[in-house]
Amino acid sequence: MRLLLVEDDDHVAAALSAVLARHGFDVVHARSGEEALKALLPGETAPFGVVLLDLGLPDQDGYEVCGKIRKRGSTPVIMVTARADVRSRIHGLNLGADDYVVKPYDTGELIARIHAVIRRPPSGAAAGPAEDALRLGSVRIELPTRQVSVDGSTVQLTRKEFDLLALLAQRPGVVFRREQIISEVWRTSWEGTGRTLEVHVASLRSKLHMPALIETVRGVGYRLVAPAA
């Protein structure tokens, strides 16, 4: 699989490229936001399966680059940055990032997150024989098209945010254990994904403007509290 590494530090990029190559990735290195956006233009080469995006780029902020990538298509984006605060993570997810990894990181962790992202079905994939849409008060979740709306207004979610919401919405009021959510949404049992789950829950609450929609059940997990119609 082709992977676009957007990193302005050549030493960091070289070391990470070597690790990624050993795991079977064909790595293309971009040193700036402009280089990354040019590399993502449709061409004769195969499309990229995932983008690793550093936020501290020399020509433009990585958040801006992520927004432009997301407007062009659905290529998975993993932000890799030293910005560790929750607000920065939520902002990145709101712009369309699929995951957010904080430096310094363990390379095994990064590889696990890459594989979790690329295993996700593409946006618009069929949802199977279940209901075509879930209605929860003013919230409507279109499973076949992976679209979510509140009071008729479309809400842009990342693929993981959609799957997290759809999972909880299929059984309103039922408590889902953290381990179960991580297994079904991230398709991994890796313990470090727990922090990512918290960030995605916070992002969903923010995007839907419904802080009480997803309730935290302390020490267990989360459940969706269906809003009034």
Side-chain angles (χ1 to χ4, degrees):
M1 175 176 289
R2 299 184 76 224
L3 181 150
L4 180 61
L5 173 60
V6 189
E7 170 62 64
D8 65 325
D9 188 318
D10 287 342
H11 295 291
V12 172
L16 182 54
S17 295
V19 172
L20 292 169
R22 289 199 296 270
H23 284 80
F25 291 99
D26 178 12
V27 182
V28 174
H29 177 207
R31 296 172 176 80
S32 67
E34 183 179 0
E35 283 188 31
L37 294 172
K38 286 183 178 178
L40 288 165
L41 290 173
E44 297 181 358
T45 56
F48 290 100
V50 66
V51 177
L52 292 185
L53 176 63
D54 182 39
L55 296 184
L57 300 175
D59 58 338
Q60 52 189 303
D61 190 83
Y63 287 133
E64 182 181 353
V65 177
C66 180
K68 292 177 180 178
I69 293 174
R70 189 51 64 235
K71 288 179 181 179
R72 292 183 179 183
S74 58
T75 304
V77 176
I78 300 177
M79 289 184 172
V80 184
T81 175
R83 304 176 193 178
D85 60 288
V86 173
R87 181 172 297 180
S88 293
R89 297 184 188 211
I90 291 175
H91 183 50
L93 294 172
N94 284 341
L95 288 173
D98 294 270
D99 207 344
Y100 193 107
V101 178
V102 177
K103 298 178 180 178
Y105 53 80
D106 178 81
T107 54
E109 167 189 344
L110 181 61
I111 296 298
R113 288 178 183 256
I114 292 173
H115 283 297
V117 165
I118 62 180
R119 283 197 300 264
R120 297 288 309 122
S123 178
E131 296 180 68
D132 287 341
L134 300 173
R135 298 173 185 268
L136 300 161
S138 60
V139 181
R140 180 180 175 86
I141 305 170
E142 300 282 352
L143 298 176
T145 60
R146 301 175 65 84
Q147 296 293 314
V148 175
S149 61
V150 178
D151 289 325
S153 298
T154 300
V155 179
Q156 297 296 329
L157 301 181
T158 67
R159 288 170 297 176
K160 285 180 181 173
E161 288 170 351
F162 178 89
D163 283 334
L164 173 57
L165 178 62
L167 174 66
L168 298 177
Q170 288 179 37
R171 300 176 67 188
V174 174
V175 178
F176 285 79
R177 292 178 294 103
R178 294 166 62 89
E179 296 83 0
Q180 179 184 359
I181 297 172
I182 290 170
S183 174
E184 296 196 28
V185 175
W186 277 265
R187 299 184 184 181
T188 180
S189 59
W190 177 62
E191 295 180 358
T193 311
R195 182 57 176 166
T196 298
L197 170 58
E198 294 175 4
V199 174
H200 278 70
V201 169
S203 182
L204 275 175
R205 290 167 174 162
S206 174
K207 286 185 175 182
L208 297 172
H209 300 291
M210 293 181 173
L213 181 66
I214 301 176
E215 179 182 1
T216 301
V217 181
R218 189 178 299 277
V220 182
Y222 298 93
R223 67 181 168 195
L224 188 141
V225 179

mmCIF file of all heavy atoms in Angstrom, residues 93-109:
data_model
loop_
_atom_site.group_PDB
_atom_site.id
_atom_site.type_symbol
_atom_site.label_atom_id
_atom_site.label_comp_id
_atom_site.label_asym_id
_atom_site.label_seq_id
_atom_site.Cartn_x
_atom_site.Cartn_y
_atom_site.Cartn_z
ATOM 1 N N LEU A 93 -9.844 16.125 14.658
ATOM 2 C CA LEU A 93 -10.912 15.201 14.270
ATOM 3 C C LEU A 93 -12.067 15.940 13.608
ATOM 4 O O LEU A 93 -12.688 15.439 12.664
ATOM 5 C CB LEU A 93 -11.405 14.434 15.495
ATOM 6 C CG LEU A 93 -10.382 13.480 16.128
ATOM 7 C CD1 LEU A 93 -10.907 12.936 17.445
ATOM 8 C CD2 LEU A 93 -10.042 12.345 15.179
ATOM 9 N N ASN A 94 -12.360 17.141 14.082
ATOM 10 C CA ASN A 94 -13.425 17.935 13.475
ATOM 11 C C ASN A 94 -13.099 18.312 12.038
ATOM 12 O O ASN A 94 -14.002 18.496 11.213
ATOM 13 C CB ASN A 94 -13.678 19.205 14.289
ATOM 14 C CG ASN A 94 -14.453 18.939 15.559
ATOM 15 O OD1 ASN A 94 -15.113 17.909 15.694
ATOM 16 N ND2 ASN A 94 -14.385 19.857 16.503
ATOM 17 N N LEU A 95 -11.807 18.435 11.729
ATOM 18 C CA LEU A 95 -11.390 18.773 10.374
ATOM 19 C C LEU A 95 -11.402 17.561 9.454
ATOM 20 O O LEU A 95 -11.211 17.690 8.250
ATOM 21 C CB LEU A 95 -9.981 19.377 10.400
ATOM 22 C CG LEU A 95 -9.879 20.798 10.971
ATOM 23 C CD1 LEU A 95 -8.411 21.205 11.105
ATOM 24 C CD2 LEU A 95 -10.624 21.789 10.086
ATOM 25 N N GLY A 96 -11.604 16.378 10.027
ATOM 26 C CA GLY A 96 -11.706 15.183 9.202
ATOM 27 C C GLY A 96 -10.608 14.167 9.377
ATOM 28 O O GLY A 96 -10.558 13.174 8.642
ATOM 29 N N ALA A 97 -9.693 14.388 10.333
ATOM 30 C CA ALA A 97 -8.659 13.385 10.580
ATOM 31 C C ALA A 97 -9.298 12.107 11.100
ATOM 32 O O ALA A 97 -10.288 12.144 11.835
ATOM 33 C CB ALA A 97 -7.638 13.916 11.589
ATOM 34 N N ASP A 98 -8.723 10.975 10.717
ATOM 35 C CA ASP A 98 -9.260 9.682 11.157
ATOM 36 C C ASP A 98 -8.649 9.223 12.472
ATOM 37 O O ASP A 98 -9.228 8.398 13.176
ATOM 38 C CB ASP A 98 -9.009 8.619 10.082
ATOM 39 C CG ASP A 98 -9.802 8.913 8.812
ATOM 40 O OD1 ASP A 98 -10.933 8.442 8.717
ATOM 41 O OD2 ASP A 98 -9.278 9.625 7.948
ATOM 42 N N ASP A 99 -7.484 9.745 12.799
ATOM 43 C CA ASP A 99 -6.841 9.404 14.066
ATOM 44 C C ASP A 99 -5.808 10.471 14.379
ATOM 45 O O ASP A 99 -5.484 11.320 13.540
ATOM 46 C CB ASP A 99 -6.186 8.020 14.005
ATOM 47 C CG ASP A 99 -6.099 7.360 15.382
ATOM 48 O OD1 ASP A 99 -6.249 8.074 16.393
ATOM 49 O OD2 ASP A 99 -5.884 6.142 15.440
ATOM 50 N N TYR A 100 -5.271 10.420 15.600
ATOM 51 C CA TYR A 100 -4.383 11.471 16.096
ATOM 52 C C TYR A 100 -3.360 10.816 17.007
ATOM 53 O O TYR A 100 -3.728 10.224 18.026
ATOM 54 C CB TYR A 100 -5.238 12.484 16.871
ATOM 55 C CG TYR A 100 -4.593 13.801 17.207
ATOM 56 C CD1 TYR A 100 -4.963 14.967 16.539
ATOM 57 C CD2 TYR A 100 -3.646 13.911 18.210
ATOM 58 C CE1 TYR A 100 -4.409 16.199 16.862
ATOM 59 C CE2 TYR A 100 -3.073 15.122 18.541
ATOM 60 C CZ TYR A 100 -3.470 16.265 17.866
ATOM 61 O OH TYR A 100 -2.918 17.478 18.189
ATOM 62 N N VAL A 101 -2.099 10.859 16.615
ATOM 63 C CA VAL A 101 -1.031 10.213 17.375
ATOM 64 C C VAL A 101 -0.092 11.291 17.917
ATOM 65 O O VAL A 101 0.343 12.180 17.175
ATOM 66 C CB VAL A 101 -0.241 9.229 16.496
ATOM 67 C CG1 VAL A 101 0.900 8.598 17.290
ATOM 68 C CG2 VAL A 101 -1.157 8.146 15.956
ATOM 69 N N VAL A 102 0.220 11.217 19.203
ATOM 70 C CA VAL A 102 1.040 12.239 19.855
ATOM 71 C C VAL A 102 2.500 11.775 19.929
ATOM 72 O O VAL A 102 2.797 10.645 20.299
ATOM 73 C CB VAL A 102 0.515 12.531 21.274
ATOM 74 C CG1 VAL A 102 1.407 13.532 21.988
ATOM 75 C CG2 VAL A 102 -0.915 13.066 21.199
ATOM 76 N N LYS A 103 3.405 12.691 19.545
ATOM 77 C CA LYS A 103 4.837 12.438 19.675
ATOM 78 C C LYS A 103 5.277 12.688 21.114
ATOM 79 O O LYS A 103 4.743 13.584 21.766
ATOM 80 C CB LYS A 103 5.628 13.375 18.753
ATOM 81 C CG LYS A 103 5.348 13.207 17.271
ATOM 82 C CD LYS A 103 6.167 14.235 16.493
ATOM 83 C CE LYS A 103 5.933 14.116 15.003
ATOM 84 N NZ LYS A 103 6.689 15.145 14.245
ATOM 85 N N PRO A 104 6.275 11.959 21.612
ATOM 86 C CA PRO A 104 6.909 10.798 20.978
ATOM 87 C C PRO A 104 6.005 9.580 21.075
ATOM 88 O O PRO A 104 5.289 9.409 22.057
ATOM 89 C CB PRO A 104 8.184 10.614 21.798
ATOM 90 C CG PRO A 104 7.814 11.131 23.157
ATOM 91 C CD PRO A 104 6.874 12.271 22.920
ATOM 92 N N TYR A 105 6.035 8.745 20.083
ATOM 93 C CA TYR A 105 5.160 7.582 20.050
ATOM 94 C C TYR A 105 5.992 6.319 19.859
ATOM 95 O O TYR A 105 7.134 6.361 19.408
ATOM 96 C CB TYR A 105 4.151 7.705 18.905
ATOM 97 C CG TYR A 105 4.805 7.984 17.572
ATOM 98 C CD1 TYR A 105 5.394 6.972 16.828
ATOM 99 C CD2 TYR A 105 4.861 9.280 17.070
ATOM 100 C CE1 TYR A 105 6.014 7.219 15.620
ATOM 101 C CE2 TYR A 105 5.489 9.552 15.862
ATOM 102 C CZ TYR A 105 6.058 8.520 15.143
ATOM 103 O OH TYR A 105 6.687 8.779 13.954
ATOM 104 N N ASP A 106 5.414 5.208 20.210
ATOM 105 C CA ASP A 106 6.027 3.913 19.948
ATOM 106 C C ASP A 106 5.682 3.525 18.513
ATOM 107 O O ASP A 106 4.534 3.652 18.084
ATOM 108 C CB ASP A 106 5.478 2.871 20.925
ATOM 109 C CG ASP A 106 6.048 1.494 20.664
ATOM 110 O OD1 ASP A 106 7.168 1.224 21.104
ATOM 111 O OD2 ASP A 106 5.340 0.691 20.013
ATOM 112 N N THR A 107 6.663 3.058 17.744
ATOM 113 C CA THR A 107 6.389 2.725 16.353
ATOM 114 C C THR A 107 5.367 1.595 16.220
ATOM 115 O O THR A 107 4.582 1.565 15.271
ATOM 116 C CB THR A 107 7.683 2.337 15.617
ATOM 117 O OG1 THR A 107 8.345 1.291 16.336
ATOM 118 C CG2 THR A 107 8.601 3.537 15.481
ATOM 119 N N GLY A 108 5.358 0.695 17.204
ATOM 120 C CA GLY A 108 4.351 -0.366 17.182
ATOM 121 C C GLY A 108 2.949 0.201 17.313
ATOM 122 O O GLY A 108 1.999 -0.265 16.669
ATOM 123 N N GLU A 109 2.814 1.227 18.153
ATOM 124 C CA GLU A 109 1.527 1.910 18.309
ATOM 125 C C GLU A 109 1.097 2.542 16.985
ATOM 126 O O GLU A 109 -0.061 2.417 16.560
ATOM 127 C CB GLU A 109 1.642 2.988 19.380
ATOM 128 C CG GLU A 109 0.482 3.962 19.416
ATOM 129 C CD GLU A 109 0.724 5.135 20.349
ATOM 130 O OE1 GLU A 109 1.642 5.069 21.193
ATOM 131 O OE2 GLU A 109 -0.007 6.134 20.226
#
